[in-house]
Amino acid sequence: MKRLLAISAAAGLALLTACTAGTENSAPSIAPSATSHDPVTIEFWHGFSADNELKAFDDTLAGFKQKFPWITVKATKAVQDDQILQSVRGGNPPDVALSFTTDSVAQFCKAGIFQDLNPYLKASNIDPAALFPKVIAEYTQYQGKRCVMPMLADAYGLYYNKKLMKGNEPPKTLSELADLTKKLTVKDAQGNIKVAGFVPTSQMYENAPIHTGVMVGAKWTNPDGTSAIGSDPQWKTLMTWQKDLVDWFGYDKLEKFRKSFGDEWSADNPFNKGKVAMAIDGEWRNAMLASDAPDVDYGTAPMPVADDQAQRYGAGFITGTIIGIPRGAKHPEAAWELVKYLTTDTGALVGLANAIRNVPSTLPALQSPDLKKDANFQTFLDIFANPNSTTQPAHINAVFNQQTLQEAQIQWESGRAKDLDALLADVDKKINDKLKLTAGG
């Protein structure tokens, strides 16, 4: 499950980068393997916390224990990136750490926060190019260094409540989404929103520009790493569309409605409660709906695309969980066995994918007959395989770039900014100025 924790860790990453400049981690020249069967206990930190997720991990770690009975895994749940960073800085990291965000991969690799895994992969005769879909390679390495491995993948699509849709098919274009949103929205006599067809604001849960940009095929950066946001007309297309729909609702009315929602990760999610007919979300929502709102009759579809890009329908944003061995891990040999098991063992990946409904990240796991493929989950497997689906390649300022654009979007949709061209030009300036400070990443 993708949870956006990168922004909270951004300051810690920057500080750690400054503290470790010029102290690149030395990876072993020959990756060790756990040939010694002396009993060892390793620490594994991860961010999962929901009951179904924890049970899935317990079952998976039990399978690891059967295969490696001399390795005991002490797992710690609900760990965020800043805790991992602090542990590395303090010289007391876990042996294995998992992160929900790919936004920090460039920093993780550049600062040596996680060890380079290329020697381990070579010693284990693992060819990442043959094992993982190409899109995954873009967010698990930086400047030739693969310091993390993909464990599971996330794909983003459109969820729709069949009852609230009133027989309408899911929209395929932005115009169709806007028209259907207006048709399905229910307001009271004072204009307050009771049910929204769709909430267009970028502040709505998974509507961040990193996810919605794919609907218009928008680019984040130029080949040299500088910002393409101001020069790519697709960002203007997306933000104009969002603003028009926000204005139809009334920004204040929409914000009042949005702020009445429960926590995204709880049973009080408004989609669960029938307050929203359509919502952008990741594949994990299937498992959460089964657990928290089993009576909701829903369907899934790809996100709509720009009206002049019909050929791109079926694409989505791809990201995922990443896992690696922090610098200073006490038991790197045993740690690698766990990382390898969780990222390359087909049975383990399929078991986790079936339990928490994430997309398995290896080609053999995707093709496994044991992978559960009901219609609502198949949507996300198809999105994952779509050649037009995109990710954000590792960038030294990935978190800053996203935050800068989203802040601009909020200014625009709220009406505080009046000139969109000037606003996006300012986004470019801020991003490029930051890039200069980081020496081009």
Side-chain angles (χ1 to χ4, degrees), residues 300-324:
T300 60
M303 290 187 286
V305 296
D307 290 47
D308 61 352
Q309 298 180 20
Q311 75 282 0
R312 294 185 58 258
Y313 181 71
F317 182 75
I318 307 299
T319 184
T321 48
I322 52 175
I323 188 170

Side-chain angles (χ1 to χ4, degrees), residues 40-53:
V40 61
T41 298
I42 61 174
E43 288 192 70
F44 171 37
W45 289 5
H46 63 79
F48 291 97
S49 59
D51 289 343
N52 68 309
E53 296 168 346

